[in-house]
Amino acid sequence: MAIFNKERDNKTMAAENTSGSSNRIVAETKFKGEINSKSDFRIDGEVEGTFQTSGKLVVGRTGVINGTVICENADIEGKVTGTIKISSVLSLKSTAVVEGEVYVDKLSIEPGAVFNVTCTMKGGKNFTNEKQQNANEKPLK
């Protein structure tokens, strides 16, 4: 009976491990559209459009994103152009090129990285709500 329980426990562990899986767009692959994921994601190819994950995004050296990025954490080695909203940590490696608008809680930049953006640093989880609230306010006359 102990063997049966051990096999059952191994199956449960295997099921738990698949929930921590990640996705990947490999080099020389181009994707145009909208990506929504709950898993971590690595991009070594090209993405044009909206990318959103509640996990971590890694943009490899050959990775290129043009559009909107929304995620928990990001490590960037490649090029990202557009609007980037990171609710926790954005880490730019020395080969990174980032241009556009960045909303982030914490920022780490290695020497050599290109960071040509307007950057807002504060509680990342409130960016969307804050922006909507500010849009509803009337300007002072």
Side-chain angles (χ1 to χ4, degrees):
M1 191 163 216
I3 293 173
F4 176 77
N5 287 337
K6 190 172 184 178
E7 287 176 11
R8 193 174 116 214
D9 289 343
N10 287 341
K11 288 179 184 176
T12 303
M13 286 175 58
E16 289 172 3
N17 289 340
T18 59
S19 65
S21 63
S22 63
N23 297 292
R24 188 170 188 170
I25 294 178
V26 297
E28 299 183 23
T29 300
K30 294 181 180 183
F31 180 88
K32 192 177 210 179
E34 184 175 313
I35 298 173
N36 289 304
S37 176
K38 291 186 180 181
S39 300
D40 294 345
F41 220 104
R42 181 175 177 97
I43 297 175
D44 290 304
E46 294 182 33
V47 173
E48 184 178 336
T50 301
F51 174 86
Q52 184 170 355
T53 182
S54 53
K56 180 178 183 176
L57 168 65
V58 175
V59 179
R61 284 182 184 242
T62 59
V64 176
I65 299 177
N66 291 308
T68 301
V69 173
I70 301 168
C71 62
E72 178 77 21
N73 294 297
D75 286 348
I76 299 176
E77 295 178 78
K79 183 173 183 177
V80 180
T81 304
T83 302
I84 304 166
K85 296 179 182 182
I86 311 292
S87 58
S88 192
V89 180
L90 171 60
S91 177
L92 303 180
K93 306 302 180 188
S94 62
T95 56
V97 176
V98 178
E99 298 175 331
E101 291 181 81
V102 173
Y103 302 89
V104 66
D105 188 33
K106 296 178 183 95
L107 180 63
S108 170
I109 304 175
E110 289 183 359
V114 176
F115 192 62
N116 293 324
V117 302
T118 56
C119 183
T120 303
M121 293 181 67
K122 53 183 158 181
K125 294 180 182 176
N126 297 324
F127 289 136
T128 308
N129 295 338
E130 219 173 270
K131 215 169 194 182
Q132 288 173 348
Q133 184 180 15
N134 289 341
N136 293 333
E137 293 178 3
K138 294 181 181 177
L140 297 173
K141 292 183 181 182

